[in-house]
Structures are given as structure tokens and as C-alpha cells.
Amino acid sequence: MATWTQLGLQDASSPLMEELVYFHDYTLIILTLITILVFYGLLSLLSSTFTNRFFLEGQELETVWTIIPALILIFIAFPSLQLLYLMDEVNNPFLTVKAIGHQWYWSYEYTDYHDIEFDSYMIPTTDLVEGQPRLLEVDNRLVLPYQNPVRILVSSADVLHSWAVPSLGVKMDAVPGRLNQTSFLLNRTGLFYGQCSEICGANHSFMPIVIESVPFNTFEHWITQNLEE
């Protein structure tokens, strides 16, 4: 979860988010070097008093500053495309969960266990206990096992929503009448917070997402307990 003083990305909690962080840092280095070079050139021009009155064209220079940016874009495009295809991969998920957006809460269905489905509402500020984050805690968390690939099917019952958990590198639009899918693998236990990332009405800011990542034995016990109820 992001803190008040945090300027960078959240700590990666999935292999996909780790790759996104690496790509962000890689691109930022390239942009920093380009910015320094451009400012150096501008300062050099401003501080120089020499002119060449016989200078009419510079085809060699124009060729260089056309080829170099093209190469830079290629070095950025290939990792970007690789990440896009990686984000679309859904190979042999261990578990499938359906997330449905409503105004203004989320409902979840464990499609592998037909009797397990519940609504997830934000806990009002007046009902929070010590240690629970304001506007982010819910009454029913999405419990998932870590170190197991999970597929999320995302849809909406009314208007456009977006199911997003930044620390997992996941953001998928919930479109009425359409079923979108995404997948991730939790690489550690803990609580991971997200929010609806598509403006969906008056209470758009009050439909958070909370994933509780637990060991498989704990998840199995939770499933058994819910099936018995």
C-alpha cells in the first residue's frame, strides 16, 4: 500500500509488477539521459557567440538525429510489447474468480466453488478499528493463495468500473455485458489494496478492493469453512 510520503511505485507483489517496475526504471534512465543531452545542447547554443555564415545545410547531422531517436524508440518498444503480451497470458490458472462491479461495491464469485460468492463493501470510517486504513478496508476480503496463478474474470452489472490493484500490476476494465480476464501470481502473503479506477458515479471513491494473500493450507481451510456455511 502506498504511504503519504511515497513518490515512486508500490513495492511489487507479483512477477508481472516486478517486470513493470524494471521497465519503468529502464525507460526513466533513457529519458533522463535524453533530457540532459538536450539541455546541454541548448546551453551550449546560448553561451556560444560563434556563428558560421556559410553554413547552409547539415545532411549528416540531420541523418544522425533521425536515426538515433528511431533506435531509442526501438529499444523502448520491444520490452513494452513483451510486457503487453505477458499481461495477456493466462496459462493453466489454479483458481478462477469472477469480480463484478456495482454502484458502488464489488461482488466476487469463486467459479471453481459454486456455493462461494459474496459482496465486498467499504467499511465506513466510523466502524474502522485501529490499524485499518480509511477508505480502503472492506467487510469481505478476496482471499487468494499465494504462489498459485489466479485468473480474474471482470465484468459490471451497471456502468463502467475498473478492477485495479497497483502492487500486483493489474488493471482491468469492468464493462457491462462483457467479460474481460486478467491473471497474476502472488509471490508473498499479506494484504494488497486497490480501488475502482474508472469514474463510475457519486461513490466512485468508495468501492475499494482488498486481496488477502494466504498460504494454501489457510486458503483450503477458508474454502472448507465457507462451503460448510
Side-chain angles (χ1 to χ4, degrees), residues 11-19 167-170 184-187:
D11 293 339
S13 302
S14 70
L16 175 60
M17 187 58 187
E18 289 177 359
E19 293 297 325
S167 61
L168 302 179
V170 173
F184 55 84
L185 187 145
L186 296 154
N187 56 18

Side-chain angles (χ1 to χ4, degrees), residues 60-75:
E60 296 83 1
L61 182 61
E62 290 179 1
T63 303
V64 169
W65 72 35
T66 301
I67 293 177
I68 291 180
L71 292 175
I72 292 173
L73 290 175
I74 290 173
F75 278 106

Side-chain angles (χ1 to χ4, degrees), residues 88-173:
D88 285 339
E89 288 291 333
V90 183
N91 293 324
N92 301 320
F94 169 78
L95 178 70
T96 299
V97 178
K98 188 176 182 181
I100 305 173
H102 303 263
Q103 289 181 313
W104 287 271
Y105 65 94
W106 292 97
S107 64
Y108 297 102
E109 300 175 8
Y110 285 72
T111 58
D112 299 318
Y113 308 93
H114 298 290
D115 295 329
I116 302 179
E117 56 182 71
F118 54 86
D119 297 331
S120 181
Y121 288 87
M122 185 192 76
I123 298 178
T125 304
T126 53
D127 297 336
L128 290 174
V129 299
E130 186 177 356
Q132 290 182 329
R134 177 177 170 271
L135 303 182
L136 286 176
E137 192 56 70
V138 296
D139 55 357
N140 292 309
R141 296 168 176 167
L142 180 61
V143 180
L144 298 173
Y146 84 113
Q147 296 293 1
N148 289 282
V150 177
R151 173 172 56 191
I152 303 291
L153 303 176
V154 184
S155 188
S156 172
D158 35 53
V159 299
L160 288 175
H161 300 278
S162 184
W163 198 84
V165 184
S167 61
L168 302 179
V170 173
K171 182 179 184 293
M172 182 57 65
D173 287 341

Side-chain angles (χ1 to χ4, degrees), residues 36-46:
I36 292 172
L37 181 63
V38 169
F39 272 96
Y40 173 76
L42 289 174
L43 292 174
S44 299
L45 288 174
L46 292 174

Side-chain angles (χ1 to χ4, degrees), residues 6 10 14 20 33-34 45 57 77 99-100 117 134 140 146 151 161 167 169-170 188 191 193 207 219 222-223:
Q6 185 172 341
Q10 293 187 24
S14 70
L20 288 171
L33 293 174
I34 292 173
L45 288 174
E57 62 180 21
I100 305 173
E117 56 182 71
R134 177 177 170 271
N140 292 309
Y146 84 113
R151 173 172 56 191
H161 300 278
S167 61
V170 173
R188 60 190 173 97
L191 296 177
Y193 295 91
M207 49 182 300
F219 174 75
W222 181 83
I223 287 290

